[in-house]
Amino acid sequence: MQREVNMKRLGIRRKALVTLLGVAVPSLIAFSMLIIVSTAHILQGNASRQVSSLAERSATGLAEMVGHSQTTLATMAASPEVGDYLEALGSVSQTRLAGSLRRLEGAFLGWQKLDATIQAIRLIDPAGNVLVKIKEGRLVPATGPERPPYSMPAVHSVAGRDFFQAALRLPRNGVLISNLERGKIEEEDALCPAMVRFATPLFGRDGVQRGVLVVNVWGEQAGRLINRLIAAEQGSAFLVERNPADNRRNGIYLFHRDGSCEFGDQTGSRRTIFDDYPPEITSAWLTSERGIASDPRSRDILAHAYYSPYGRQDRGWVVVVNARRDFFLGPLATIGRQTALWATLVLGLALAASLFFARSLTRPIQAVVEGIRRMGNNPAERIAEGSRDEVGFLAGEINRMADAIQQSAEERLRVEERIRGTEKLASIGEMAAGLAHELNTPLGNIKALAILARKGIERGECDRRSLTGDLDDIADQAGKCSGIIAGLLSFARRSGATPAPHDPAVIMGEALALVRLRAENRQVRLSCDDAPLPSLLIDGDQLRQVFVNILLNGIDAAPGGEVAVTLRQRDGGVQASFRDNGCGIAPEHLDRIFDPFFTTKEVGEGTGLGLSVSYGMINGMGGDIEVESRPGEGACFKVFIPGTREVGA
Ligand code: ADP
């Protein structure tokens, strides 16, 4: 019993834990995942915007640099020194021209000092002669033979160079911007750092083409701008050329943190974006103004922005920022760790709370179960109604139910007691007829013997011997009568169960004797088959009454038939079987025949108490009554009386 109670308690705890694990754990995991996923989403969104804005801003920075160089060139072209040269070139005076060129040399040197981004400045006449050139802070002297139409040497000639020819074709104030590329150091294989050449045509007041002013600008500043966009550990940024018309240059890196891949067309490395990125990414870079994408291989964020110094869609520079996944997901690891920490904490608290809850739920239930167990042992016990919650309410209801059950049990006992008395009276009525018959014969004999004896005495015919014989017969008959009356008295004695050792076969014999007259009247054959039986510690009167009741029912049900009784030892006790071949019991009555007052007999013939009283008595002895019957084939009642019952039990 104790084990059972413990198992139930464990059951509730387990259920509480399973409920917790089944609800709280998945919810916590789902909640944590939700936080992490939405944080990742937010971080990625923020990073995308940030990276995209980096690319945009650096494209704007490039535009500003180019704009600055264009402004510088325009300012130079409009300077008094250049104006003086244009005038001097129109005049025929070589001296004036030479003076003007000297002034220009000074001005060029001054301008370069002012603007560190300028690599070189050149003044070229319409024939392609470089008349003045300063480079990297130094004047490049004009040496060699005189070059007609001047009586002085030129630095060198660029007459055949494409950029010069193109610059000559520009309108007034037009600016020609070259590719961003590395210059070739004259008479050396080495390439100088990247630069862009800005050229503008010069016109005299008369509108005549008088030359071209060229400024070379270092690209380093732009390179620094690109490289500083994003820290090395967070990703990389690079400048790419968009130039579909020129296969050699389309997609080359112009600036890159890894300098070895810059200007692949010039350095011979030939490395382009097509070597490093998938086509769907590179094609977006080479066609759209701006955009953001995710690298399908590394899931890095790739933002690009396009700027064209040439004012064209198909030729310009693309700033690309490649932000590493760690750059934006870095904080996610911290968030994940903290979420896991909190989730574990919450889970631990929930676990403790659920254990506490389970314990506080099971303890009062345990008390109720204990109380019910005590009530089972002692019906007067009641459960303590401690708490004011549902369990306390339940305990109260169980107590009230126990009160009601006890009351009804007491009531039932009283009713059964009454019924038993009534049935006993009824049985006595039945027996009275039998007794009358039994007593009638010996009493008749006594009367006849007494009359004969008196007549013999009156006539003087009676000798002493025959008188003694008659008196012996009378005493014998009177003895029979007193035996019958003693049996009746013991049967009718009203008392509680008084167990004593009894031989069930003897009691059965007495019961059969009591019903014999009735059996004869109904022409029912009675038989009894017994075997060696143990003595039983029982109330003999009660058992006899049970046997009489069942025998009378069998006799009533089988007029002209038979009632066969068998007595056998079973499980240390005794089983008495009463089999008749009477009308049998209808199936719908089988459940009801042990109910008090249930009878199928005519009014005045049956009370409906025999079986119910019998059942109560056998039950009181710790035994049982079973019945089997088929309508038309008779019935069989099996009464089992257990063997070892202590006196007073
Ligand atoms: P009563 O004999 O006064 O009717 P009982 O309680 O002794 O009351 O029996 C109840 C009913 O059970 C009977 O009326 C009868 O219908 C049925 N019964 C009992 N024993 C038998 C039997 N051997 N065969 C057929 N019916 C029986």
Side-chain angles (χ1 to χ4, degrees), residues 368-386:
V368 171
V369 173
E370 290 286 342
I372 293 173
R373 196 157 59 86
R374 282 199 309 277
M375 274 161 62
N377 294 335
N378 175 12
E381 280 278 349
R382 290 294 176 266
I383 307 167
E385 297 173 31

PDB file of all heavy atoms in Angstrom, residues 368-386:
ATOM      1  N   VAL A 368      -4.160  12.914   2.295  1.00  0.00           N
ATOM      2  CA  VAL A 368      -5.519  12.417   2.035  1.00  0.00           C
ATOM      3  C   VAL A 368      -5.486  10.907   1.819  1.00  0.00           C
ATOM      4  O   VAL A 368      -6.299  10.157   2.378  1.00  0.00           O
ATOM      5  CB  VAL A 368      -6.125  13.139   0.803  1.00  0.00           C
ATOM      6  CG1 VAL A 368      -7.422  12.483   0.388  1.00  0.00           C
ATOM      7  CG2 VAL A 368      -6.371  14.595   1.126  1.00  0.00           C
ATOM      8  N   VAL A 369      -4.489  10.449   1.017  1.00  0.00           N
ATOM      9  CA  VAL A 369      -4.387   9.013   0.731  1.00  0.00           C
ATOM     10  C   VAL A 369      -4.154   8.234   2.028  1.00  0.00           C
ATOM     11  O   VAL A 369      -4.781   7.203   2.281  1.00  0.00           O
ATOM     12  CB  VAL A 369      -3.247   8.759  -0.280  1.00  0.00           C
ATOM     13  CG1 VAL A 369      -3.014   7.271  -0.459  1.00  0.00           C
ATOM     14  CG2 VAL A 369      -3.587   9.389  -1.620  1.00  0.00           C
ATOM     15  N   GLU A 370      -3.265   8.789   2.879  1.00  0.00           N
ATOM     16  CA  GLU A 370      -2.988   8.131   4.167  1.00  0.00           C
ATOM     17  C   GLU A 370      -4.266   8.047   4.990  1.00  0.00           C
ATOM     18  O   GLU A 370      -4.571   7.028   5.603  1.00  0.00           O
ATOM     19  CB  GLU A 370      -1.937   8.929   4.954  1.00  0.00           C
ATOM     20  CG  GLU A 370      -0.533   8.872   4.372  1.00  0.00           C
ATOM     21  CD  GLU A 370       0.136   7.543   4.621  1.00  0.00           C
ATOM     22  OE1 GLU A 370      -0.327   6.822   5.502  1.00  0.00           O
ATOM     23  OE2 GLU A 370       1.100   7.222   3.885  1.00  0.00           O
ATOM     24  N   GLY A 371      -5.020   9.176   4.974  1.00  0.00           N
ATOM     25  CA  GLY A 371      -6.271   9.226   5.736  1.00  0.00           C
ATOM     26  C   GLY A 371      -7.259   8.175   5.241  1.00  0.00           C
ATOM     27  O   GLY A 371      -7.885   7.467   6.040  1.00  0.00           O
ATOM     28  N   ILE A 372      -7.362   8.037   3.907  1.00  0.00           N
ATOM     29  CA  ILE A 372      -8.291   7.053   3.335  1.00  0.00           C
ATOM     30  C   ILE A 372      -7.864   5.656   3.764  1.00  0.00           C
ATOM     31  O   ILE A 372      -8.681   4.801   4.096  1.00  0.00           O
ATOM     32  CB  ILE A 372      -8.332   7.189   1.798  1.00  0.00           C
ATOM     33  CG1 ILE A 372      -8.968   8.524   1.410  1.00  0.00           C
ATOM     34  CG2 ILE A 372      -9.126   6.046   1.179  1.00  0.00           C
ATOM     35  CD1 ILE A 372      -8.920   8.840  -0.059  1.00  0.00           C
ATOM     36  N   ARG A 373      -6.535   5.451   3.779  1.00  0.00           N
ATOM     37  CA  ARG A 373      -6.024   4.131   4.171  1.00  0.00           C
ATOM     38  C   ARG A 373      -6.403   3.832   5.632  1.00  0.00           C
ATOM     39  O   ARG A 373      -6.859   2.744   5.964  1.00  0.00           O
ATOM     40  CB  ARG A 373      -4.500   4.114   4.002  1.00  0.00           C
ATOM     41  CG  ARG A 373      -3.888   2.737   3.993  1.00  0.00           C
ATOM     42  CD  ARG A 373      -2.558   2.786   3.286  1.00  0.00           C
ATOM     43  NE  ARG A 373      -1.632   3.705   3.932  1.00  0.00           N
ATOM     44  CZ  ARG A 373      -0.842   3.362   4.945  1.00  0.00           C
ATOM     45  NH1 ARG A 373      -0.862   2.150   5.419  1.00  0.00           N
ATOM     46  NH2 ARG A 373      -0.026   4.238   5.466  1.00  0.00           N
ATOM     47  N   ARG A 374      -6.231   4.866   6.466  1.00  0.00           N
ATOM     48  CA  ARG A 374      -6.593   4.664   7.882  1.00  0.00           C
ATOM     49  C   ARG A 374      -8.075   4.373   8.021  1.00  0.00           C
ATOM     50  O   ARG A 374      -8.489   3.523   8.800  1.00  0.00           O
ATOM     51  CB  ARG A 374      -6.230   5.921   8.681  1.00  0.00           C
ATOM     52  CG  ARG A 374      -4.745   6.028   9.008  1.00  0.00           C
ATOM     53  CD  ARG A 374      -4.519   6.986  10.159  1.00  0.00           C
ATOM     54  NE  ARG A 374      -5.187   8.265   9.950  1.00  0.00           N
ATOM     55  CZ  ARG A 374      -4.695   9.261   9.237  1.00  0.00           C
ATOM     56  NH1 ARG A 374      -3.532   9.146   8.655  1.00  0.00           N
ATOM     57  NH2 ARG A 374      -5.363  10.375   9.098  1.00  0.00           N
ATOM     58  N   MET A 375      -8.888   5.090   7.186  1.00  0.00           N
ATOM     59  CA  MET A 375     -10.331   4.865   7.238  1.00  0.00           C
ATOM     60  C   MET A 375     -10.676   3.448   6.843  1.00  0.00           C
ATOM     61  O   MET A 375     -11.632   2.854   7.345  1.00  0.00           O
ATOM     62  CB  MET A 375     -11.041   5.857   6.297  1.00  0.00           C
ATOM     63  CG  MET A 375     -11.331   7.168   6.965  1.00  0.00           C
ATOM     64  SD  MET A 375     -11.651   8.492   5.797  1.00  0.00           S
ATOM     65  CE  MET A 375     -13.063   7.912   4.981  1.00  0.00           C
ATOM     66  N   GLY A 376      -9.880   2.895   5.912  1.00  0.00           N
ATOM     67  CA  GLY A 376     -10.102   1.506   5.477  1.00  0.00           C
ATOM     68  C   GLY A 376      -9.900   0.555   6.646  1.00  0.00           C
ATOM     69  O   GLY A 376     -10.631  -0.431   6.796  1.00  0.00           O
ATOM     70  N   ASN A 377      -8.900   0.868   7.484  1.00  0.00           N
ATOM     71  CA  ASN A 377      -8.634  -0.007   8.623  1.00  0.00           C
ATOM     72  C   ASN A 377      -9.618   0.243   9.759  1.00  0.00           C
ATOM     73  O   ASN A 377     -10.014  -0.671  10.461  1.00  0.00           O
ATOM     74  CB  ASN A 377      -7.204   0.215   9.134  1.00  0.00           C
ATOM     75  CG  ASN A 377      -6.200  -0.234   8.090  1.00  0.00           C
ATOM     76  OD1 ASN A 377      -6.505  -1.088   7.253  1.00  0.00           O
ATOM     77  ND2 ASN A 377      -5.011   0.337   8.114  1.00  0.00           N
ATOM     78  N   ASN A 378      -9.956   1.521   9.913  1.00  0.00           N
ATOM     79  CA  ASN A 378     -10.879   1.860  10.994  1.00  0.00           C
ATOM     80  C   ASN A 378     -11.895   2.866  10.473  1.00  0.00           C
ATOM     81  O   ASN A 378     -11.576   4.036  10.284  1.00  0.00           O
ATOM     82  CB  ASN A 378     -10.066   2.447  12.159  1.00  0.00           C
ATOM     83  CG  ASN A 378     -10.981   2.919  13.266  1.00  0.00           C
ATOM     84  OD1 ASN A 378     -12.176   2.620  13.264  1.00  0.00           O
ATOM     85  ND2 ASN A 378     -10.416   3.634  14.226  1.00  0.00           N
ATOM     86  N   PRO A 379     -13.138   2.429  10.238  1.00  0.00           N
ATOM     87  CA  PRO A 379     -14.135   3.315   9.618  1.00  0.00           C
ATOM     88  C   PRO A 379     -14.411   4.567  10.439  1.00  0.00           C
ATOM     89  O   PRO A 379     -14.944   5.531   9.913  1.00  0.00           O
ATOM     90  CB  PRO A 379     -15.390   2.430   9.534  1.00  0.00           C
ATOM     91  CG  PRO A 379     -14.893   1.031   9.643  1.00  0.00           C
ATOM     92  CD  PRO A 379     -13.648   1.073  10.449  1.00  0.00           C
ATOM     93  N   ALA A 380     -14.044   4.592  11.703  1.00  0.00           N
ATOM     94  CA  ALA A 380     -14.314   5.780  12.522  1.00  0.00           C
ATOM     95  C   ALA A 380     -13.275   6.874  12.278  1.00  0.00           C
ATOM     96  O   ALA A 380     -13.481   8.030  12.643  1.00  0.00           O
ATOM     97  CB  ALA A 380     -14.319   5.389  13.997  1.00  0.00           C
ATOM     98  N   GLU A 381     -12.147   6.513  11.651  1.00  0.00           N
ATOM     99  CA  GLU A 381     -11.081   7.497  11.371  1.00  0.00           C
ATOM    100  C   GLU A 381     -11.564   8.534  10.367  1.00  0.00           C
ATOM    101  O   GLU A 381     -12.400   8.229   9.510  1.00  0.00           O
ATOM    102  CB  GLU A 381      -9.862   6.779  10.792  1.00  0.00           C
ATOM    103  CG  GLU A 381      -8.999   6.102  11.814  1.00  0.00           C
ATOM    104  CD  GLU A 381      -8.035   7.058  12.476  1.00  0.00           C
ATOM    105  OE1 GLU A 381      -7.913   8.194  11.989  1.00  0.00           O
ATOM    106  OE2 GLU A 381      -7.430   6.649  13.489  1.00  0.00           O
ATOM    107  N   ARG A 382     -11.024   9.742  10.441  1.00  0.00           N
ATOM    108  CA  ARG A 382     -11.338  10.778   9.440  1.00  0.00           C
ATOM    109  C   ARG A 382     -10.048  11.460   9.007  1.00  0.00           C
ATOM    110  O   ARG A 382      -9.051  11.459   9.744  1.00  0.00           O
ATOM    111  CB  ARG A 382     -12.306  11.826  10.006  1.00  0.00           C
ATOM    112  CG  ARG A 382     -13.722  11.293  10.217  1.00  0.00           C
ATOM    113  CD  ARG A 382     -14.387  10.937   8.891  1.00  0.00           C
ATOM    114  NE  ARG A 382     -15.688  10.349   9.056  1.00  0.00           N
ATOM    115  CZ  ARG A 382     -15.927   9.044   9.107  1.00  0.00           C
ATOM    116  NH1 ARG A 382     -14.925   8.198   9.016  1.00  0.00           N
ATOM    117  NH2 ARG A 382     -17.145   8.578   9.226  1.00  0.00           N
ATOM    118  N   ILE A 383     -10.121  12.058   7.794  1.00  0.00           N
ATOM    119  CA  ILE A 383      -8.924  12.727   7.252  1.00  0.00           C
ATOM    120  C   ILE A 383      -8.837  14.134   7.841  1.00  0.00           C
ATOM    121  O   ILE A 383      -9.862  14.816   7.949  1.00  0.00           O
ATOM    122  CB  ILE A 383      -9.011  12.837   5.719  1.00  0.00           C
ATOM    123  CG1 ILE A 383      -9.282  11.461   5.116  1.00  0.00           C
ATOM    124  CG2 ILE A 383      -7.766  13.452   5.128  1.00  0.00           C
ATOM    125  CD1 ILE A 383      -9.697  11.521   3.667  1.00  0.00           C
ATOM    126  N   ALA A 384      -7.597  14.570   8.170  1.00  0.00           N
ATOM    127  CA  ALA A 384      -7.422  15.933   8.682  1.00  0.00           C
ATOM    128  C   ALA A 384      -7.637  16.918   7.537  1.00  0.00           C
ATOM    129  O   ALA A 384      -7.010  16.806   6.485  1.00  0.00           O
ATOM    130  CB  ALA A 384      -6.022  16.077   9.257  1.00  0.00           C
ATOM    131  N   GLU A 385      -8.560  17.878   7.752  1.00  0.00           N
ATOM    132  CA  GLU A 385      -8.865  18.849   6.678  1.00  0.00           C
ATOM    133  C   GLU A 385      -8.006  20.086   6.899  1.00  0.00           C
ATOM    134  O   GLU A 385      -8.507  21.153   7.233  1.00  0.00           O
ATOM    135  CB  GLU A 385     -10.349  19.210   6.690  1.00  0.00           C
ATOM    136  CG  GLU A 385     -11.241  18.022   6.418  1.00  0.00           C
ATOM    137  CD  GLU A 385     -12.715  18.351   6.607  1.00  0.00           C
ATOM    138  OE1 GLU A 385     -13.106  19.506   6.367  1.00  0.00           O
ATOM    139  OE2 GLU A 385     -13.454  17.434   7.003  1.00  0.00           O
ATOM    140  N   GLY A 386      -6.699  19.955   6.743  1.00  0.00           N
ATOM    141  CA  GLY A 386      -5.767  21.040   7.047  1.00  0.00           C
ATOM    142  C   GLY A 386      -5.932  22.256   6.156  1.00  0.00           C
ATOM    143  O   GLY A 386      -6.351  23.327   6.597  1.00  0.00           O
TER     144      GLY A 386
END
